[in-house]
Amino acid sequence: MKKQSDRNRPGHSPGRHASQWALQHLRALFLSLGQLYKYPGNSLFSISVIGISLALPAGFYSLLENAQRITSHLDAASHISLFLVPDVDEQRALELSGVLQERADIDGVEVIDPGRALAEYKENSGFAAALDTLGQNPLPYVLVVRPGVKTLVAPGNAALLETLRSLPLVDSAQFDWQWAQRLHQIIEVFQRAVLIVAALFACAVVLVVGNTIRMAVYNRRQEIEIHKLFGATDAFITRPFLYSGMLHGAAGSLLAWLMLEVSMVLLQGPVIRLSELYGSPFTPASLNATEALWLVSIGAGLGLAGSWLSVKRHLRAIDPI
């Protein structure tokens, strides 16, 4: 009965306990902000190192995303060119086109007659004068086949190429997918490299924050000893340092995002002019709002982890007795 009556007292209400918990965390947060303001030089140095450490993997990630955007456009434009035997006339070419369009793995077929093919070749090759000396058009009918699977490296497209190449009316088939496979493999290697670099720089952020918190613990050693003499718990002493590490990580992430945005603005003009020379306008994109939020969250989490590891290790070495 006594325990039940104690729980019913106003001082033991869950609402009061929650408000005290919130006030303790709010006090720790403001204390951490005060320490950042009190020692701006050390804080700015640590935040700058964290920002550079996070900006590099974030920049690699952004470049990877832009590269995947470019290759997605190449995938959409993939096609197989079927060069028919020279004696095929227009009717047989159209009949073969109709048969191929009925296949489920083919999205569409375009028939290019020899006259159109010769005109395009004269326009793009620069040998118009030499071609005019020929007595007849040497080019055959060409069927441009668009695969149903919009990726250059799909295994089904390689099988489709072999099937089309074996057709009786097909003299040769061309599908430049080997260069695309190499390109996708390069991107996959780059993805793995980005993960490795990100892991290494994440460890660097943890170490930087840990060293910053270690110095803070050392500078406040006497204050911590006094708190322990008056019965302060380790959680009470640790809490401001954890918030300090989290603030360092979050601020470093914001700095990394700012550096990445400035870099993209500086690169945007040259990249657009280069893409226009290839006839495919492309504008590089930076991190979107969700990715930027993830960057800040990751930085804050790394800062929290580094501060927790550091303060737990060095707090045990402080004994006021």
Side-chain angles (χ1 to χ4, degrees):
M1 294 296 292
K2 183 178 181 180
K3 293 182 179 180
Q4 183 67 29
S5 62
D6 290 341
R7 284 195 295 266
N8 292 333
R9 291 177 183 176
H12 293 270
S13 62
R16 182 179 178 85
H17 179 73
S19 62
Q20 289 178 350
W21 180 86
L23 286 175
Q24 290 176 359
H25 280 267
L26 190 62
R27 173 189 172 278
L29 176 60
F30 278 104
L31 183 60
S32 302
L33 291 173
Q35 291 296 319
L36 292 177
Y37 179 77
K38 185 177 180 181
Y39 303 102
N42 295 335
S43 299
L44 288 177
F45 179 79
S46 300
I47 291 172
S48 299
V49 175
I50 294 172
I52 295 173
S53 300
L54 293 177
L56 289 174
F60 289 147
Y61 172 81
S62 182
L63 291 176
L64 181 61
E65 288 293 310
N66 284 282
Q68 290 178 335
R69 286 176 55 202
I70 295 175
T71 56
S72 65
H73 294 303
L74 296 177
D75 290 343
S78 63
H79 61 270
I80 300 174
S81 298
L82 300 180
F83 299 90
L84 305 185
V85 294
D87 59 346
V88 172
D89 54 14
E90 181 179 5
Q91 181 179 358
R92 297 171 68 189
L94 293 175
E95 290 176 354
L96 178 59
S97 173
V99 172
L100 294 179
Q101 286 183 350
E102 294 178 357
R103 291 177 60 100
D105 53 356
I106 292 178
D107 192 40
V109 180
E110 180 184 2
V111 181
I112 300 179
D113 59 81
R116 174 185 168 188
L118 182 62
E120 292 181 356
Y121 187 74
K122 286 181 178 180
E123 181 180 357
N124 299 322
S125 65
F127 297 102
L131 292 173
D132 290 336
T133 61
L134 299 176
Q136 60 181 0
N137 188 351
L139 299 179
Y141 276 89
V142 179
L143 301 184
V144 179
V145 179
R146 294 187 298 275
V149 180
K150 297 300 182 183
T151 176
L152 292 169
V153 296
N157 287 344
L160 175 63
L161 175 64
E162 296 300 324
T163 301
L164 297 178
R165 184 176 288 162
S166 63
L167 295 176
L169 298 182
V170 176
D171 185 30
S172 64
Q174 182 177 355
F175 184 30
D176 297 331
W177 56 279
Q178 290 184 347
W179 69 269
Q181 282 187 323
R182 297 189 186 102
L183 178 61
H184 280 265
Q185 288 300 320
I186 291 173
I187 293 178
E188 185 175 348
V189 171
F190 190 65
Q191 286 177 332
R192 191 67 56 86
V194 168
L195 292 177
I196 296 174
V197 170
L200 292 176
F201 279 105
C203 294
V205 170
V206 172
L207 293 176
V208 170
V209 174
N211 183 67
T212 302
I213 299 302
R214 180 184 67 84
M215 295 300 298
V217 172
Y218 178 80
N219 292 332
R220 298 173 60 186
R221 181 184 182 93
Q222 293 181 351
E223 179 183 345
I224 294 173
E225 290 177 350
I226 294 174
H227 281 302
K228 283 194 171 185
L229 286 174
F230 281 92
T233 63
D234 287 346
F236 177 83
I237 299 173
T238 302
R239 196 173 294 122
F241 295 106
L242 297 182
Y243 274 106
S244 179
M246 187 173 61
L247 291 174
H248 276 83
S253 299
L254 291 175
L255 180 60
W257 173 78
L258 181 60
M259 289 189 291
L260 183 59
E261 289 294 321
V262 172
S263 301
M264 284 298 173
V265 171
L266 295 176
L267 289 174
Q268 192 172 35
V271 170
I272 292 176
R273 289 192 293 270
L274 178 63
S275 63
E276 289 176 350
L277 293 177
Y278 285 92
S280 178
F282 175 78
T283 302
S286 184
L287 301 180
N288 55 38
T290 303
E291 292 169 339
L293 183 61
W294 270 108
L295 177 62
V296 175
S297 301
I298 290 173
L302 292 174
L304 183 63
S307 60
W308 184 82
L309 292 174
S310 180
V311 74
K312 286 296 183 182
R313 176 185 176 184
H314 298 287
L315 193 62
R316 287 194 294 265
I318 301 177
D319 189 1
I321 301 177

